[in-house]
Amino acid sequence: MTTSSLPKLKNVEVECSGCPIRHRAVCARCAPTELQRLEEIKYYRRYDAGQPIAWAGDDMGFVASVVKGVATISQTMADGRKQMVGLLLPSDFIGRPGRASTPYDVTAVSEVTLCCFRRKPFEQLLVTTPAVAERLLDMSLDELDAAREWMLVLGRKTAREKIASLLTIVARREATVGLSAMKGRIVVELPLTREAMADYLGLTLETVSRQISALKNEGILELDGKRRIVVPDIRLLMAETGDDMDGGLIA
């Protein structure tokens, strides 16, 4: 299942019980009474593709879960050089309780819907609601594991393995959020342009295009427009990542 095939949010206000990321979000372990407390401090924000969500150093009066869409995390150096350092996919968490600002720029790369919680009340809720605090800790540890895995991708893998790894990460997250099986034929809605992929992976645009074309010519990928990629057999793509097939990538 692709991100675009998840249940649509027709209205700005959505009941927690009907949220498409409910099973993976920070509120995943909440009892009904705890969900009610979250309902009291939440609101939704939507961003168009290319719209900034947060600037590094600016005050953030909220924390949030990505309900729909994809955002990038980037950092700018003193001389203006900019590096994309992460992706935020559905169910990922934005912001850090106890810290008023973020050290990174966060930008929507597709239409993004956030479930936001006012920061101060959320910080207070962490003290009184262990289920939320425990889930946030688990998500933070998962993010740490993913960052370590990404260090391997950037530092040791070939260009072909980097691209296969990125596509596998996106496919696995879409399958996890959509509660679908990670097997057989998979359709991936690629969240990044090839230029952004090159920036994220530390490659040139020409290298990205050449490697995607090679994977296509070998039948590992099928291209359906600019952003949709069909993977006839996900096992073949995973075999190109350079990882142990039984270990996998952190989603």
Side-chain angles (χ1 to χ4, degrees):
M1 180 178 290
T2 65
T3 302
S4 61
S5 64
L6 291 173
K8 300 296 183 182
L9 298 176
K10 296 181 180 180
N11 301 308
V12 174
E13 293 300 328
V14 179
E15 293 293 332
C16 287
S17 58
C19 178
I21 61 165
R22 170 80 169 83
H23 59 288
R24 266 189 68 93
V26 69
C27 55
R29 299 174 187 167
C30 288
T33 54
E34 294 168 334
L35 284 178
Q36 181 57 43
R37 295 183 64 189
L38 284 171
E39 288 271 9
E40 294 170 358
I41 63 170
K42 80 170 186 181
Y43 58 95
Y44 287 89
R45 286 185 175 178
R46 291 187 179 180
Y47 299 84
D48 293 329
Q51 186 175 359
I53 296 173
W55 293 112
D58 285 355
D59 181 69
M60 279 189 67
F62 69 94
V63 295
S65 292
V66 179
V67 179
K68 181 187 176 201
V70 178
T72 59
I73 307 171
S74 58
Q75 192 164 16
T76 303
M77 299 176 67
D79 61 3
R81 285 178 292 168
K82 192 172 185 176
Q83 176 63 48
M84 192 186 310
V85 296
L87 285 178
L88 291 166
L89 302 172
S91 78
D92 282 340
F93 195 75
I94 299 176
R96 185 179 298 181
R99 180 175 294 180
S101 63
T102 174
Y104 307 108
D105 296 332
V106 183
T107 306
V109 294
S110 65
E111 181 182 306
V112 170
T113 299
L114 297 183
C115 177
C116 304
F117 304 99
R118 289 180 286 122
R119 184 170 56 82
K120 287 294 185 182
F122 186 83
E123 291 171 351
Q124 295 168 2
L125 188 139
L126 289 178
V127 177
T128 59
T129 311
V132 176
E134 290 169 2
R135 176 61 185 149
L136 186 59
L137 175 60
D138 285 346
M139 294 172 71
S140 299
L141 293 175
D142 287 344
E143 184 178 350
L144 178 60
D145 286 341
R148 289 169 172 164
E149 191 71 37
W150 198 245
M151 288 174 63
L152 173 64
V153 171
L154 295 181
R156 290 296 180 180
K157 291 192 175 185
T158 65
R160 183 184 179 98
E161 290 170 341
K162 287 180 179 181
I163 291 169
S165 295
L166 177 59
L167 294 177
T168 301
I169 287 171
V170 174
R172 179 164 291 160
R173 173 58 64 86
E174 291 187 351
T176 301
V177 172
L179 296 176
S180 58
M182 183 70 171
K183 62 181 180 181
R185 185 180 179 87
I186 300 285
V187 179
V188 178
E189 296 290 348
L190 192 61
L192 302 174
T193 63
R194 293 191 183 186
E195 291 87 349
M197 287 178 64
D199 181 36
Y200 191 38
L201 296 170
L203 302 172
T204 65
L205 174 60
E206 293 75 14
T207 297
V208 170
S209 296
R210 186 168 57 249
Q211 293 299 330
I212 289 178
S213 295
L215 291 169
K216 174 180 176 291
N217 292 337
E218 294 171 29
I220 297 172
L221 302 178
E222 297 173 6
L223 304 183
D224 182 10
K226 293 183 177 180
R227 295 291 187 92
R228 177 170 291 189
I229 292 179
V230 179
V231 184
D233 187 342
I234 191 63
R235 294 174 301 175
L236 297 180
L237 178 62
M238 293 174 68
E240 297 297 327
T241 65
D243 295 297
D244 293 335
M245 291 296 287
D246 59 349
L249 290 166
I250 303 299

